[in-house]
Amino acid sequence: TVSVFNAGDRAGRAQDTLDLLENAGFRAGAVGNAPSGDQVARAEVHTTRQDDPEAKLVALALGHDTPVVVTTVIGPGLDVIIGDKFKKLDPSAPRRVPATAASSC
């Protein structure tokens, strides 16, 4: 499950991005504005777990340079925070990554 929050100035981007992620096979969570003070130029994935394979998979879908940040999350599942420079998903991104021993299914 992926929630998307807009840290940019352009309205409607969180829902558009969640639609892209849902079309790519991810489960839809919440959408909204990022908390004030969140400064993200392109995109970040927020998770509560270190070495989270699900967060890595979402980050790869957003583009190979998308960072994964271990922090608190505000929506259900993982949080994707997007900025105004985020344009589209990476069509060549893998659809799976190896799970770690700590992953739950």
Side-chain angles (χ1 to χ4, degrees), residues 5-22:
F5 300 96
N6 187 358
D9 294 327
R10 295 174 22 206
R13 300 284 322 283
Q15 185 62 58
D16 292 345
T17 303
L18 185 60
D19 291 343
L20 292 173
L21 289 164
E22 197 172 14

